[in-house]
Amino acid sequence: MIYNEEFETLPREALEAIQLRRLKNTLERVYHTVPFYKKHFDKHGVKPDDIRSLEDLHKLPFTTKQDLRDNYPFGLFAVPMDSVVRIHASSGTTGKPTVVGYTARDIKTWSELMARTLMAGGATKGDIIHNAYGYGLFTGGLGFHYGAETLGASVIPISGGNTKRQIMIMKDFGPTILTCTPSYALLLAEVAEEMGVDFRSLKFKSGIFGAEPWSEQMRQEIERKLNLDAVDIYGLSEVMGPGVAVECIEAKQGLHIFEDHFIAEIIDPDTGEPLPYGEKGELVFTTITKEAFPVIRYRTRDISALYKEPCRCGRTLVRMERVSGRTDDMLIIRGVNVFPSQIESVLMEMEEVSPHYQLIVDRVEHMDQLTVMVEVNEEIFSDTVKNLQQLENKIRKNIKDMLGISTIVKLVEPKTIERSEGKAKRVIDNRKI
Amino acid sequence: MKVEQISVFLENKAGRLAEVTRVLGEGGINIRALSLADTTDFGILRLIVNDNEKAKKILKENGFTVGKTNVVAIEVEDKPGGLARILDILYRAGINVEYMYAFVQQSGENAVIIFRFDNLDEAIKVLQENGVTVINGSKVYTL
Ligand SMILES: [Zn+2]
């Protein structure tokens, strides 16, 4: 089923004509309203007028996470604050989050894209949507919520957590569509089993899962244990939030990018050169309809590939392959972006600690678990158990305060952390995904 | 009156304690007293040895994290109620014992117990005022 038949099945030529027109408008607007873009374009000797075809996009400089950070919090907004009706944020590398804004029209656009997303994942007006994405600064919860309402479905805004209660509500309210992270889907399956609730007795038809990396094997496990069709969704707050791309339930082979709103490119992460269809590289997005927070050639650091072969669902939109990794060292822990440098800065801020550390990521009972190993040096060592336990608690609390995630802190002997060429290996990701 | 104790950080895994005693033994260090405090994931080994500086050097060379703390060695009558009397004195004076452990050797007829206090000087003063024998460092290392 297709929510916006007209725009999702446009002939490529018509679609590309719309893209070019919208791109030109966006460039003109950011050049004149956002000082950063004017300076950035001028520095690279390019003016909005120089962009006469979609290929010309390559002449424009990239925008990076660092640029967003440098303009914290509202420096990249292209409209005055009185036109901004919503602010979201995601965690950044240095403690400061990445902040994005939406005008009323942006919210309307986003809501439509989420309605398209839900319908691509099998939802219709008559469905009850159990939305277990987190509500708050994170875009997941509210993105799905507005999409569900736009679609005309009934939404249960359950948010994350309190899993037993979620199962009870599933039994009593009979939701038909599940939206949450893939790892939470598996946790739901497990808790249901402990409670003696069989997912086959529930009414779910399909689920839309994302906000963290997962695999084809995980899809099969979710489909088997939850007795539903599972589709993958892609999005990031810098570009919009969820609803940038989604798999169709008909094919489940790659995620359709809503190209009437976003232009996607794949580049070589080292040289910045664009790569042809089918080749793996870094995903880059340009928004062409956003008002409050447009981004031009934003480097996502996500690794994917683009395919333009027609799809059996009828959509003419290009498809991106499931994201297979990152070009930086960012970890996604229970849907939260975590950079090792953030943990490092927490450790550095505690004056007595500047030790070697290592992050170990595991998936225990379907939930991500982050263990911070800290080598005990003479500065932090004490002869009493109490002092060392206080140190562990302090590290744990400071990380929780900064990143909002619970960790296990483990003190280890010096030289325990593996070093290669003198450099400690910072991250060991044991998750099988 | 103070006795120097060295402490070693150990992960809770097999063979670590044996490793400490082995390297010290090979270095000719004599362990006079020892106690291990552990939690589920780490342990702290406390040692009184005959040569602190040398023991520290050996342990560091073998990659251990080593600390140094001052403790007190007290003679306790080797009969029922001997220890209770001392703890009672400390309790009444409001002095908190962080931890304590027994010495292997006796000092004549009496047992020797190592005490770790937050406020060492105050503790020594109270003990001496109450007629408890506090053994000095140089004697402890050679007991
Ligand atoms: Zn399709």
Side-chain angles (χ1 to χ4, degrees):
Chain A
M1 294 264 283
I2 297 178
Y3 180 78
N4 190 330
E5 188 87 39
E6 186 193 344
F7 279 91
E8 293 181 70
T9 64
L10 279 171
R12 292 297 303 177
E13 265 172 43
L15 175 63
E16 284 165 16
I18 290 173
Q19 283 189 315
L20 182 59
R21 197 182 70 231
R22 290 179 170 178
L23 172 64
K24 283 178 168 175
N25 285 341
T26 299
L27 294 175
E28 203 59 51
R29 220 159 40 79
V30 299
Y31 190 77
H32 291 108
T33 58
V34 185
F36 163 78
Y37 283 112
K38 180 171 188 319
K39 259 208 318 242
H40 203 39
F41 289 8
D42 287 349
K43 203 174 122 198
H44 287 79
V46 51
K47 294 234 172 314
D49 283 350
D50 298 335
I51 309 306
R52 299 197 180 92
S53 69
L54 288 177
E55 286 68 49
D56 287 342
L57 185 62
H58 304 149
K59 294 178 182 168
L60 294 166
F62 294 113
T63 307
T64 63
K65 188 106 177 167
Q66 183 63 46
D67 296 324
L68 271 48
R69 210 179 296 147
D70 293 343
N71 290 280
Y72 176 86
F74 306 140
L76 293 183
F77 284 20
V79 297
M81 278 311 278
D82 65 0
S83 303
V84 173
V85 301
R86 177 95 65 81
I87 292 165
H88 278 288
S90 64
S91 59
T93 48
T94 52
K96 295 287 190 199
T98 302
V99 182
V100 297
Y102 303 78
T103 64
R105 210 187 107 201
D106 289 335
I107 295 289
K108 213 172 146 233
T109 304
W110 187 19
S111 304
E112 186 201 310
L113 294 183
M114 286 309 298
R116 289 188 194 179
T117 295
L118 284 159
M119 195 167 255
T124 60
K125 203 172 155 0
D127 280 302
I128 301 176
I129 296 169
H130 185 98
N131 184 21
Y133 282 106
Y135 281 65
L137 276 180
F138 171 59
T139 49
L142 285 169
F144 271 93
H145 186 97
Y146 275 59
E149 290 189 350
T150 302
L151 180 64
S154 318
V155 55
I156 306 173
I158 191 103
S159 197
N162 208 340
T163 310
K164 280 189 174 158
R165 187 158 150 268
Q166 298 223 4
I167 303 291
M168 181 196 83
I169 283 177
M170 286 175 179
K171 255 175 72 184
D172 297 348
F173 296 6
T176 48
I177 306 286
L178 175 63
T179 58
C180 62
T181 62
S183 53
Y184 194 64
L186 287 172
L187 183 71
L188 282 167
E190 197 167 88
V191 173
E193 199 187 323
E194 282 165 17
M195 293 168 68
V197 175
D198 186 345
F199 256 88
R200 280 171 301 186
S201 73
L202 302 178
K203 299 207 171 70
F204 285 114
K205 300 184 302 193
S206 65
I208 301 171
F209 306 107
E212 65 183 20
W214 55 312
S215 63
E216 209 44 50
Q217 288 91 303
M218 235 175 126
R219 185 208 308 267
Q220 284 160 18
E221 193 183 350
I222 290 172
E223 293 192 330
R224 195 179 65 244
K225 289 188 174 162
L226 280 77
N227 190 43
L228 46 68
D229 279 306
V231 303
D232 191 11
I233 178 176
Y234 177 81
L236 63 169
S237 61
E238 298 94 309
V239 175
M240 178 62 102
V244 174
V246 70
E247 276 181 331
C248 59
I249 199 167
E250 293 89 346
K252 290 187 205 163
Q253 267 173 11
L255 297 83
H256 291 285
I257 295 169
F258 295 120
E259 289 178 286
D260 49 334
H261 296 274
F262 314 105
I263 299 177
E265 300 170 77
I266 293 285
I267 62 157
D268 179 323
D270 297 322
T271 66
E273 286 305 309
L275 295 174
Y277 284 104
E279 274 191 40
K280 256 187 208 267
E282 181 179 337
L283 255 179
V284 171
F285 280 102
T286 300
T287 65
I288 52 174
T289 55
K290 269 174 81 190
E291 294 182 330
F293 193 83
V295 284
I296 309 300
R297 300 197 85 197
Y298 181 70
R299 294 187 62 159
T300 64
R301 301 285 170 188
D302 286 325
I303 294 169
S304 181
L306 298 177
Y307 297 92
K308 62 171 176 183
E309 287 73 24
C311 183
R312 80 165 85 129
C313 69
R315 286 178 184 82
T316 52
L317 306 165
V318 298
R319 280 176 283 171
M320 57 175 270
E321 174 183 287
R322 178 191 286 286
V323 170
S324 58
R326 298 274 305 171
T327 64
D328 58 15
D329 54 2
M330 187 181 89
L331 295 163
I332 302 180
I333 311 287
R334 301 182 183 191
V336 177
N337 298 348
V338 175
F339 290 88
S341 57
Q342 290 175 306
I343 308 270
E344 188 168 317
S345 70
V346 169
L347 294 175
M348 295 297 188
E349 273 166 28
M350 304 175 51
E351 49 190 329
E352 67 267 47
V353 188
S354 56
H356 279 292
Y357 69 93
Q358 188 173 52
L359 309 180
I360 316 262
V361 194
D362 293 295
R363 196 158 272 176
V364 180
E365 288 168 355
H366 310 305
M367 292 302 274
D368 295 335
Q369 184 181 288
L370 179 62
T371 303
V372 182
M373 310 251 278
V374 179
E375 280 187 2
V376 174
N377 57 26
E378 281 188 23
E379 285 70 46
I380 65 174
F381 181 46
S382 159
D383 66 315
T384 70
V385 170
K386 186 180 73 187
N387 288 352
L388 289 183
Q389 283 177 336
Q390 275 169 0
L391 175 72
E392 283 183 333
N393 288 336
K394 192 167 154 197
I395 297 172
R396 193 159 38 232
K397 183 179 176 299
N398 288 4
I399 294 174
K400 172 102 190 181
D401 287 349
M402 178 167 182
L403 296 169
I405 53 166
S406 301
T407 52
I408 295 170
V409 173
K410 193 173 183 318
L411 299 179
V412 298
E413 287 175 27
K415 309 280 184 297
T416 319
I417 291 168
E418 191 190 325
R419 287 160 175 80
S420 54
E421 290 160 19
K423 241 184 111 187
K425 209 173 160 196
R426 288 295 174 224
V427 179
I428 295 179
D429 196 339
N430 294 323
R431 289 177 292 189
K432 303 272 181 293
I433 47 174
Chain B
M1 288 298 118
K2 296 168 191 171
V3 177
E4 202 172 274
Q5 165 196 272
I6 57 178
S7 45
V8 186
F9 180 81
L10 296 176
E11 271 177 64
N12 256 356
K13 54 188 185 192
R16 296 311 286 160
L17 179 57
E19 179 69 10
V20 172
T21 53
R22 187 184 65 78
V23 297
L24 289 178
E26 282 173 7
I29 299 290
N30 210 336
I31 298 172
R32 320 300 310 181
L34 148 165
S35 109
L36 178 68
D38 60 352
T39 69
T40 48
D41 53 35
F42 66 82
I44 302 167
L45 180 66
R46 295 119 183 191
L47 299 161
I48 307 286
V49 298
N50 60 345
D51 186 339
N52 278 313
E53 289 315 309
K54 192 173 170 197
K56 266 188 81 170
K57 187 164 166 284
I58 292 169
L59 289 167
K60 280 194 192 176
E61 280 167 4
N62 281 277
F64 289 100
T65 295
V66 189
K68 221 163 66 172
T69 328
N70 285 325
V71 293
V72 185
I74 294 167
E75 274 192 21
V76 180
E77 281 183 289
D78 197 7
K79 65 177 193 195
L83 179 59
R85 191 186 139 247
I86 288 168
L87 291 176
D88 190 52
I89 293 166
L90 293 167
Y91 173 73
R92 282 171 195 281
I95 289 170
N96 182 40
V97 178
E98 285 282 345
Y99 56 80
M100 49 186 259
Y101 54 98
F103 220 76
V104 187
Q105 292 293 332
Q106 294 219 336
S107 173
E109 289 292 291
N110 295 329
V112 177
I113 296 192
I114 301 288
F115 281 81
R116 161 78 151 92
F117 300 109
D118 265 343
N119 190 339
L120 196 67
D121 296 323
E122 173 71 12
I124 291 173
K125 189 169 145 260
V126 167
L127 289 167
Q128 287 181 328
E129 278 169 7
N130 284 275
V132 177
T133 309
V134 178
I135 311 173
N136 72 33
S138 51
K139 188 179 171 201
V140 170
Y141 304 136
T142 54
L143 266 177

